[in-house]
Amino acid sequence: MSSQPLLEFRALTFERDDWPLFSDLCGALKAGEILQITGANGCGKTTLLHILATIQAPTAGSLHWQGRDISRCRQEYLTAMAFVGHQSGLKLSLTPRENLHWLSQLQPLSRVSSGAALARIGLAGFEDVPCYTLSAGQLRRAALAILCMSEAKLWLLDEPLTALDVEGIADLEALLLGHVAEGGGVVLSSHQPLAIPALRTLALDAMTEVAY
Amino acid sequence: MTSLGGAFFAVIQRDLSIAMRHRGDLLNPLFFFLIVVTLVPLGISPEPTRLAAMAPGMIWISALLATLLALDNLFQADFADGSLVQLMLSPEPLWLLVLAKIIAHWLVTGLPVVLFSPLLGMILSLPGAGFLPLLLGLALGTAVFSLLGAVGAALTVALHKGSVLLSLLVMPLYVPVLIFGTSAVQRAVDGMNYGGVMAILAAVAAFSLLLAPFAAAGALKVGING
Amino acid sequence: MWQWFHKLGSPRWFYHLSSKFLPWLALASVVLIVTGVVWGLAFAPQDARQGNSFRIIYIHVPASFLALAGYYVMAAAGAVGMIWKIKLADMVMVAAAPLGAALTFIALFTGAIWGKPTWGTYWIWDARITSMLVLLFLYIGIIALSRSFSTRETSARACAILALVGTVNIPIIYKSVDWWYTLHQPATIKLTGAPSMHPDMFKPLLVMILGFYCFYALVLLLNTRTEILQRERRTTWVKELAAGK
C-alpha cells in the first residue's frame, strides 16, 4: 500500500456571505484510517462533510483523491465514495429492500445482497415492511446498510450515531473497523466518543459565533 | 456494476412505485382540474355556445394550474429525506437522472390530465373537431410544463416558501405553450388546419427536452444550498 | 486581455475606476435627456392623427427598449458570474434586476397613459403591451428568487440560471404573443410604427434613447457601487473610504 493519502484537503475555507465558517483547514486520510470530525453545533461539521462529498463547493481550497485534484476526477471519486447524510436517503413509502435496490442502481453496491446487508446491520425480518413503520434507530440502520453493500473505498458519514442504541453503535463500530481493515477510509462527524482504537480526530472549534 | 440505462430506469421505476403507493396524491391534481373547470359554467354561464367559445382556453389554463400544483413535489420530497443527495452523488450524469425524474413526474401528473381532458371538453360543450388537437396539444404542452417547471422546482428545492415562488418563476415561461395550445384547438373548431401550430408546439417540446434537463441539473446543484 | 478581465472583476478596482467616469456619464445623461425632452415636447411637430398625446413616446419608447435590453444585461452578467466566478458580475446582475423591472413598469405605465387618448382605454391587450407585461413577470420572478436565498452566492447563481432560461424563452414568448395578437387583432386598431415617423419627430426620440442608455448605465453603476460597498464593508479599503481616508 502506497503512502499516498486516499483523500487530502488543502486550505479549505468556507464562508457564508463573508462570515468564515472555517478557514485554511488541512488534513489527509490514509487508507486504513478513521477520521472523526468533532465540534459544537453549528461549527461546520456537516458543511465540511458536504464539501468532502462534493455536494457543496468550498470558497477556497482544494480536494485531492489519491493525489489528484477532485475537479479532474470527480466521476471516479464518486464511484469510490459512499455518503450517508444526516437524512437517511430512504423513501419512507418503500421497503428497506426496495430502497437498497434503487440505491444500488445509482452507485456500485454489490458486495452482498440487500437481504444480507440488512441482516448484518440488525434488520432481519424488516426487509419488506415500508420504511415508515420503522423506528428512527431502525431507519438509521437501514441507511447504514448501504455501507455493507458498498464497494466504495471512502465512506463519508454525517452523524451516523444519531438515534442508534448501544447495540447499534457497536454494530456500526464493527462495520467501520472491518472496512478500514480492508484498506478503506472513513470520515465521520459526531460529537459522541467512539470506541475505536487509533481514531484520529479533527476538532472544528467554533471560529465564529454565527450558528446557522 | 451499474449501467447508464439501469440508473435511468431505476429512477423512473422508483418514482412510479412511490406514486402508486400514494394514489390519493395522484388523484388530487385531477380533481383540482375537474373542480376548476366546473367553476367556469357556475361563474360565467351555462349556455353551451358561450362555454364552447371558452372551452379551449379554460381547459388549458386549468391543466396548467393542475400541473403547477404538483410541481413542487418533483424534487422537494427527495430533498427532505436525503435521497436527492444520493441521486446527485451518483456517478451517472445528473441531467439523465433529472430527465428520468421529469418523465416519471409527467407520467403521474401530466398524462392523467391529458387523458382526463376529453371529459372536460365534453362538459364544456367543446365541438367535436376540437378533441383530437386538445389531446395532442395537452400531451406536448404538459411535457413542456414538466420540463420547464423542473428548472424552477430545482431552484426552489430548499426554500420553504417554495410553491408560491415556484409558480411565479415558471408561469411566465408557460405563455407560448398556452398560446399555441389553445389556438390549435380553436383552429380545429373553426375548421382550419392546425397542423402548423401543432408542429410549433412539438418544436417547443423538443427544444425544452433538449435543454431543460441540463438547466435543471445545474439548478439543482445551486438549489440544494438553500 | 485575460488579466485585464480579472482585474475588472476586482470590486475595489472597479469602484475606483467607475468613480472617474461617473461624473461624465451623469453629465451626458442630463444633457441628452434635457435636450431630448425640450426638443420632443416643445419643438417636434404634432402628430397628424394623435395630436400632442403622441409625445409620450419620448419616454415610452426608450423605456421599452431598455426594459428588454436590461434583461439581457442582467442575464449576461449572471452568465459571466457563473462561468468565471466573478463576484463583480454577480453584483451587476443584482443591481440590474430592480432597475430593469422599474423600466418595464415605466414602459407599461406610459403605454397605459398613451392608450387612453389613442384607444379610449387605459389597457388593451396589444401584442407589445402583453409582451412587456410578461417581461415584468419575468423580472418579478428574478427579484423574488433573489430575495429567497440565505446566501448571496447561491442567490446569484440561482438568478443567473433563471435569467438564462428566461433569455432563451424571451424570443419565443415575444413571437408567440405577436402571433396570438394577429389572431385576435381587431382590424381598426393599428399602431403607428417608428419607420413611418416624420424625421423631425424621430430625431428627438433618438436623443432620448441615447440619453436613456446613459441614464441606465449611470444608475446601474451607482447600484453596483452600493452593492460593492455593502458586500466589501469589512475590507480595509472600504473602511478607509468610509473614514474619508
Side-chain angles (χ1 to χ4, degrees):
Chain A
M1 186 121 292
S2 72
S3 60
Q4 181 85 272
L6 276 182
L7 179 70
E8 193 186 353
F9 44 99
R10 297 179 194 155
L12 281 187
T13 300
F14 187 80
E15 289 172 1
R16 197 174 258 133
D17 278 349
D18 315 324
W19 288 104
L21 205 55
F22 45 77
S23 56
D24 279 332
L25 212 59
C26 294
L29 183 81
K30 292 202 181 77
E33 284 185 330
I34 299 177
L35 177 66
Q36 182 184 9
I37 302 168
T38 60
N41 291 335
C43 70
K45 293 192 295 286
T46 297
T47 307
L48 178 58
L49 271 166
H50 280 187
I51 289 173
L52 295 183
T54 69
I55 297 166
Q56 261 175 301
T59 312
S62 59
L63 287 176
H64 301 266
W65 171 245
Q66 296 183 326
R68 281 182 300 156
D69 196 309
I70 273 179
S71 55
R72 295 213 192 92
C73 59
R74 183 161 185 261
Q75 209 78 355
E76 191 190 320
Y77 178 61
L78 291 181
T79 52
M81 182 268 289
F83 174 82
V84 178
H86 198 63
Q87 279 90 23
S88 64
L90 305 172
K91 299 306 289 188
L92 291 182
S93 50
L94 300 180
T95 68
R97 199 195 294 279
E98 286 169 324
N99 269 306
L100 290 182
H101 173 74
W102 175 68
L103 287 166
S104 72
Q105 298 288 318
L106 289 185
Q107 321 162 359
L109 300 175
S110 56
R111 274 161 55 105
V112 294
S113 74
S114 52
L118 288 166
R120 179 153 171 216
I121 203 79
L123 280 180
F126 293 95
E127 296 94 341
D128 297 311
V129 300
C131 280
Y132 58 76
T133 60
L134 300 181
S135 73
Q138 285 172 320
L139 212 55
R140 169 79 19 197
R141 281 164 182 260
L144 293 170
I146 294 162
L147 299 175
C148 302
M149 299 168 68
S150 176
E151 291 168 358
K153 268 195 129 163
L154 176 66
W155 293 358
L156 302 176
L157 314 176
D158 190 8
E159 301 283 359
L161 303 185
T162 311
L164 284 184
D165 54 13
V166 179
E167 205 182 322
I169 292 176
D171 282 348
L172 176 64
E173 283 164 353
L175 193 64
L176 297 181
L177 288 172
H179 179 60
V180 294
E182 289 173 16
V186 180
V187 181
L188 59 90
S189 71
S190 177
H191 40 253
Q192 297 174 43
L194 274 168
I196 288 175
L199 180 73
R200 288 181 49 215
T201 56
L202 173 74
L204 273 184
D205 48 276
M207 290 185 174
T208 58
E209 305 287 315
V210 181
Y212 216 85
Chain B
M1 200 50 214
T2 60
S3 65
L4 204 66
F8 178 78
F9 289 111
V11 171
I12 295 185
Q13 195 199 352
R14 181 197 74 145
D15 280 11
L16 290 183
S17 51
I18 292 169
M20 288 319 286
R21 290 193 194 166
H22 296 109
R23 279 190 208 104
D25 295 358
L26 213 64
L27 291 175
N28 288 348
L30 275 187
F31 286 128
F32 176 85
F33 188 34
L34 180 63
I35 292 170
V36 171
V37 169
T38 310
L39 293 181
V40 176
L42 295 175
I44 297 165
S45 154
E47 203 186 314
T49 49
R50 282 185 76 183
L51 284 180
M54 314 197 65
M58 278 321 301
I59 295 173
W60 262 92
I61 292 171
S62 336
L64 185 152
L65 295 176
T67 51
L68 203 58
L69 201 66
L71 197 59
D72 60 334
N73 210 24
L74 177 53
F75 296 118
Q76 218 149 46
D78 281 4
F79 176 74
D81 63 26
S83 55
L84 188 65
V85 164
Q86 295 299 339
L87 193 83
M88 294 176 72
L89 290 180
S90 166
E92 311 296 340
L94 183 58
W95 63 267
L96 192 71
L97 303 180
V98 166
L99 180 63
K101 280 201 71 76
I102 296 172
I103 290 173
H105 183 260
W106 180 77
L107 286 175
V108 297
T109 61
L111 190 61
V113 164
V114 175
L115 297 177
F116 215 50
S117 61
L119 178 70
L120 301 181
M122 208 178 67
I123 63 175
L124 287 187
S125 322
L126 183 73
F131 281 83
L132 185 63
L134 183 68
L135 266 173
L136 281 177
L138 272 177
L140 291 167
T142 50
V144 177
F145 292 161
S146 289
L147 284 161
L148 287 180
V151 181
L155 286 175
T156 55
V157 66
L159 306 175
H160 298 297
K161 51 185 167 181
S163 59
V164 179
L165 180 64
L166 175 57
S167 317
L168 218 62
L169 303 187
V170 298
M171 271 204 276
L173 304 176
Y174 287 174
V175 166
V177 174
L178 183 69
I179 288 174
F180 293 128
T182 47
S183 63
V185 182
Q186 198 58 58
R187 286 176 82 96
V189 169
D190 296 343
M192 286 192 280
N193 181 9
Y194 62 86
V197 185
M198 201 55 79
I200 296 175
L201 209 51
V204 171
F207 190 58
S208 311
L209 185 66
L210 216 59
L211 292 183
F214 292 99
L220 264 187
K221 286 181 185 162
V222 173
I224 54 159
N225 294 326
Chain C
M1 172 66 196
W2 191 244
Q3 250 181 343
W4 178 84
F5 196 53
H6 267 272
K7 201 172 164 194
L8 189 66
S10 144
R12 180 185 178 179
W13 187 80
F14 179 84
Y15 190 89
H16 288 302
L17 180 79
S18 61
S19 306
K20 291 198 188 96
F21 54 78
L22 209 54
W24 296 105
L25 205 55
L27 188 70
S29 33
V30 168
V31 168
L32 284 169
I33 289 177
V34 168
T35 313
V37 165
V38 173
W39 191 356
L41 294 191
F43 296 101
Q46 267 193 21
D47 185 83
R49 277 182 298 160
Q50 297 180 32
N52 278 325
S53 70
F54 93 96
R55 291 182 201 277
I56 202 163
I57 64 162
Y58 295 117
I59 307 288
H60 176 75
V61 173
S64 314
F65 269 35
L66 274 165
L68 185 57
Y71 196 90
Y72 289 117
V73 168
M74 181 179 73
V80 169
M82 189 161 66
I83 297 165
W84 289 291
K85 306 241 184 313
I86 295 173
K87 267 192 197 169
L88 181 66
D90 291 348
M91 299 182 197
V92 172
M93 185 184 69
V94 169
L99 182 55
L103 282 164
T104 314
F105 180 75
I106 290 173
L108 277 171
F109 189 72
T110 52
I113 295 175
W114 190 15
K116 185 67 183 169
T118 315
W119 296 318
T121 169
Y122 286 111
W123 187 261
I124 190 164
W125 289 97
D126 164 70
R128 282 184 232 189
I129 296 176
T130 311
S131 300
M132 205 47 88
L133 189 63
V134 177
L135 185 66
L136 182 66
F137 294 155
L138 288 172
Y139 272 120
I140 289 174
I142 299 260
I143 295 170
L145 186 68
S146 73
R147 301 214 168 137
S148 307
F149 285 95
S150 57
T151 67
R152 287 199 206 96
E153 202 191 330
T154 315
S155 157
R157 295 283 164 278
C159 290
I161 291 175
L162 186 65
L164 287 176
V165 172
T167 306
V168 174
N169 264 280
I170 281 180
I172 305 176
I173 293 173
Y174 270 58
K175 280 281 161 220
S176 67
V177 171
D178 263 353
W179 183 76
W180 161 81
Y181 186 60
T182 58
L183 287 183
H184 302 276
Q185 187 182 31
T188 47
I189 296 165
K190 186 79 187 153
L191 207 67
T192 48
S196 65
M197 263 174 92
H198 193 271
D200 286 345
M201 294 178 180
F202 191 63
K203 279 178 205 152
L205 182 61
L206 215 59
V207 173
M208 279 305 277
I209 290 173
L210 275 177
F212 260 66
Y213 267 93
C214 288
F215 181 69
Y216 177 84
L218 176 73
V219 179
L220 186 63
L221 264 185
L222 287 173
N223 276 359
T224 309
R225 282 160 60 92
T226 315
E227 190 73 23
I228 289 175
L229 289 185
Q230 202 171 32
R231 289 205 196 181
E232 307 261 309
R233 63 184 177 279
R234 267 183 287 276
T235 60
T236 40
W237 75 268
V238 173
K239 281 180 183 152
E240 278 170 15
L241 200 74
K245 44 169 190 265

